[in-house]
Amino acid sequence: NAGVTQTPKFRILKIGQSMTLQCTQDMNHNYMYWYRQDPGMGLKLIYYSVGAGITDKGEVPNGYNVSRSTTEDFPLRLELAAPSQTSVYFCASSKSPPGGSLSTNTQYFGPGTRLTVL
Amino acid sequence: GQQLNQSPQSMFIQEGEDVSMNCTSSSIFNTWLWYKQDPGEGPVLLIALYKAGELTSNGRLTAQFGITRKDSFLNISASIPSDVGIYFCAGPGYGNKLVFGAGTILRVKS
């Protein structure tokens, strides 16, 4: 049981290049999330998904796209990389949504992808 | 939007000392979560609080859900070097979203 896995671990992009950050979970979780972490800013939600075929915008979606064709995978796509997208990206998953007194709403995080755009 | 304010921003303490940090919000939360992020890793849930006034422990860690439901506290007793990391508070926001504080960076001198 690997939990949440992310690839790549590190990447350097040039301005205008595109790339896909991969995220896979093997816990059969319905809910999956993409966050970015900037120094001193905590975690900001980019996009999330409540199940295969359903995605929605988070707090900072501009410049990103997502898809969810299977329960396991939730890739994040950057079409035209910009220096402002330099950050550490975390994928997370949970069985149920945040809120309520259920332990099933615990979000499990992957190890992160460190992206630099030059 | 909903925001969580964490303090202090960072701490540099001596091994063996106790640590206190807190998280406040302008709006009410019905759940408070405390996560720890080790260097180079993703955050891991430490403690979850579901009821106002609740006090919950996890080893040397103790967290409390403030009675006003607008704050929470995390204490670490007898700190050790592996306590180093960033501690985040979080709570459920509007919709299916989790709101995170900016984090408290903890460094421990051995």
Side-chain angles (χ1 to χ4, degrees):
Chain A
N1 200 344
V4 180
T5 56
Q6 290 183 238
T7 56
K9 225 168 157 49
F10 304 95
R11 184 75 187 267
I12 298 175
L13 283 181
K14 291 183 180 173
I15 294 171
Q17 284 186 318
S18 61
M19 79 163 291
T20 300
L21 282 70
Q22 302 291 348
C23 174
T24 301
Q25 53 91 10
D26 62 1
M27 297 175 280
N28 201 30
H29 284 171
N30 286 327
Y31 292 79
M32 294 188 75
Y33 313 84
W34 273 106
Y35 294 92
R36 59 177 287 172
Q37 183 180 28
D38 301 310
M41 300 292 289
L43 292 152
K44 301 290 185 187
L45 184 65
I46 305 171
Y47 269 95
Y48 68 99
S49 169
V50 303
I54 308 169
T55 62
D56 208 347
K57 293 177 181 177
E59 192 180 350
V60 290
N62 291 345
Y64 306 95
N65 276 305
V66 292
S67 59
R68 184 99 182 267
S69 55
T70 67
T71 299
E72 296 78 22
D73 301 304
F74 190 40
L76 177 73
R77 179 123 182 112
L78 283 70
E79 290 294 350
L80 287 169
S84 61
Q85 292 178 304
T86 294
S87 189
V88 182
Y89 291 84
F90 288 101
C91 178
S93 74
S94 64
K95 197 166 180 63
S96 57
S101 55
L102 296 170
S103 60
T104 53
N105 57 25
T106 298
Q107 290 190 17
Y108 296 89
F109 284 80
T113 294
R114 186 173 293 274
L115 176 67
T116 302
V117 183
L118 301 172
Chain B
Q2 291 170 297
Q3 279 190 319
L4 295 177
N5 300 306
Q6 276 190 257
S7 67
Q9 205 169 0
S10 65
M11 306 176 76
F12 195 9
I13 62 165
Q14 189 72 43
E15 182 178 356
E17 284 183 2
D18 295 343
V19 172
S20 288
M21 60 187 79
N22 67 65
C23 191
T24 60
S25 170
S26 57
S27 55
I28 287 172
F29 279 79
N30 57 23
T31 300
W32 284 93
L33 306 171
W34 284 95
Y35 279 83
K36 184 197 176 196
Q37 183 180 22
D38 287 328
E41 302 289 332
V44 173
L45 183 67
L46 296 173
I47 292 180
L49 301 160
Y50 300 112
K51 217 161 50 170
E54 181 181 351
L55 190 71
T56 297
S57 292
N58 179 3
R60 292 177 296 105
L61 277 63
T62 302
Q64 182 159 24
F65 192 141
I67 205 78
T68 64
R69 293 165 64 193
K70 291 185 177 180
D71 56 8
S72 180
F73 307 89
L74 177 69
N75 295 312
I76 305 172
S77 62
S79 58
I80 59 177
S82 62
D83 289 334
V84 160
I86 307 176
Y87 291 80
F88 292 102
C89 62
Y94 301 122
N96 297 308
K97 300 165 190 170
L98 205 56
V99 177
F100 283 84
T104 291
I105 300 169
L106 179 63
R107 298 185 182 90
V108 179
K109 280 185 285 188
S110 52

